[in-house]
Amino acid sequence: MTSILVVDDSPVDRRLVGGLLEKDTDTIVAYAEHGADAIAKMALAVPDLVVTDLMMPEMDGLQLVTAVRSKHPLVPVILTTSRGSEEVAVEALQRGAASYVPKRSLAQNLLDTVQRVLTVSCRQRGQSRLMGCMTRSDCAFVLDNDCTLFGPLVTYLQEEIARMGLCDETECTRIGVAMEEALSNALFHGNLEVRSELREEDDKAYYALVEQRRRQAPFRDRRVHVEAAFSRDQVRLIVRDEGPGFDPSTLPDPTDPANLEKVSGRGVLLMRTFMDEVVYSDSGDAVTLVKHRNCQARG
């Protein structure tokens, strides 16, 4: 069973979030009224994941993210954001939150976001103890247009990061989330050329077009290329698609409060927040993600 702690000072919002999570019969949901209440409850029983509002009395979501990372670094935190909390949400991501879901799209995106973060977190937990004597490792993959390959690939990358002692468990989870976003962008927006704006307009139409193009030429014949270089100092990840590319200078600033709740900017925001360097090729068909070693990773 998966245990999730929902933190919100609004009883209505708590029950809304809890009701959505309880649609998964393998999930047990507990509740807290604010951050201080959440920390007290976590001292008694540590959940697998925390879903928290940002604006709360006693201890707000930003303070809660900091406290959870300090006291329970293996527990990922997902934010629920409302209009007016955009700038605080960006800071919370920078402090250690694993992802966020705008409150206006909870019904549409909460369960999917929770599952993705839990999957990355659980895989990383199970492999975080793996260590080795390797000083450098390079590898390359060519993936079909099949998102079920992303999980095993990210797991492998996290194993290599753990072996190198590049970062702590929290950062390893965040690198996994960033890599999942880069892979998804390469597949959906690069190879299949499906616009993220379509998902904002019609979620069903978005995924219907994805499935259609996976079977059509020339989309079905394209591949996602991944290169990874690990050393004791950093991990460098390159994700390249075979689509037509785009002009990276046209990317909107995902940290602009006006863009934070847009689906189209979410992946870019997570990548730029979780990685030390994010660089697009001039043609826009490749992105390089770099994470430098956390000096305290090995203690």
Side-chain angles (χ1 to χ4, degrees):
M1 298 289 286
T2 298
S3 60
I4 299 178
L5 179 63
V6 175
V7 189
D8 199 309
D9 61 316
S10 166
V12 174
D13 287 350
R14 281 201 304 271
R15 288 300 171 182
L16 171 62
V17 172
L20 292 170
L21 295 173
E22 287 172 345
K23 289 183 179 180
D24 183 345
T25 56
D26 290 328
T27 297
I28 298 175
V29 181
Y31 300 92
E33 296 181 1
H34 46 69
D37 186 25
I39 292 299
K41 286 184 166 66
M42 292 179 72
L44 301 175
V46 180
D48 296 305
L49 181 140
V50 173
V51 178
T52 182
D53 188 23
L54 276 174
M55 304 302 183
M56 299 179 293
E58 300 289 334
M59 177 189 287
D60 63 21
L62 183 61
Q63 296 168 315
L64 177 60
V65 167
T66 301
V68 170
R69 184 167 186 183
S70 173
K71 298 175 182 294
H72 308 283
L74 292 179
V75 179
V77 179
I78 294 176
L79 311 169
T80 59
T81 61
S82 56
R83 295 190 184 279
S85 63
E86 294 90 349
E87 293 182 2
V88 181
V90 171
E91 185 176 353
L93 289 170
Q94 293 170 341
R95 290 198 185 188
S99 191
Y100 73 95
V101 182
K103 283 192 173 183
R104 64 179 178 81
S105 62
L106 283 174
Q108 181 182 13
N109 295 321
L110 179 62
L111 287 178
D112 178 64
T113 300
V114 165
Q115 188 56 53
R116 290 178 68 177
V117 170
L118 277 174
T119 298
V120 171
S121 176
C122 289
R123 289 196 305 255
Q124 185 270 329
R125 284 187 191 188
Q127 301 299 328
S128 64
R129 295 182 179 179
L130 291 179
M131 297 295 293
C133 299
M134 193 179 303
T135 59
R136 182 176 176 83
S137 175
D138 298 333
C139 57
F141 301 84
V142 180
L143 307 180
D144 294 334
N145 287 328
D146 182 358
C147 60
T148 63
L149 296 171
F150 295 171
L153 173 59
V154 170
T155 297
Y156 172 80
L157 298 176
Q158 288 177 314
E159 289 173 352
E160 294 301 300
I161 291 169
R163 287 190 183 99
M164 294 297 179
L166 287 167
C167 59
D168 60 21
E169 291 86 351
T170 297
E171 285 303 315
C172 200
T173 294
R174 284 152 58 92
I175 292 171
V177 171
M179 192 60 182
E180 293 260 11
E181 294 294 343
L183 292 166
S184 295
N185 287 345
L187 171 57
F188 298 130
H189 308 323
N191 284 351
L192 302 183
E193 298 182 51
V194 181
R195 298 178 302 108
S196 56
E197 291 81 4
L198 177 59
R199 188 176 179 187
E200 294 181 349
E201 299 164 3
D202 190 330
D203 193 59
K204 291 183 178 179
Y206 177 87
Y207 286 107
L209 183 57
V210 165
E211 290 306 313
Q212 176 185 329
R213 290 192 171 176
R214 285 185 63 202
R215 298 187 294 270
Q216 288 181 333
F219 312 104
R220 69 186 179 199
D221 301 318
R222 295 170 176 170
R223 298 293 181 264
V224 176
H225 301 258
V226 179
E227 297 178 23
F230 306 89
S231 72
R232 292 294 178 183
D233 297 319
Q234 68 175 26
V235 56
R236 179 179 296 270
L237 306 166
I238 302 174
V239 179
R240 179 173 62 84
D241 60 68
E242 296 182 352
F246 70 100
D247 181 358
S249 67
T250 64
L251 278 175
D253 179 5
T255 64
D256 185 334
N259 297 325
L260 187 61
E261 293 207 353
K262 294 182 179 179
V263 173
S264 56
R266 183 175 178 276
V268 176
L269 173 60
L270 294 174
M271 287 189 291
R272 289 182 174 172
T273 303
F274 295 163
M275 305 301 290
D276 294 323
E277 299 175 34
V278 177
V279 181
Y280 286 91
S281 63
D282 291 340
S283 56
D285 62 350
V287 62
T288 299
L289 309 178
V290 178
K291 189 71 175 181
H292 299 294
R293 184 176 186 271
N294 178 346
C295 294
Q296 299 179 354
R298 289 182 177 274

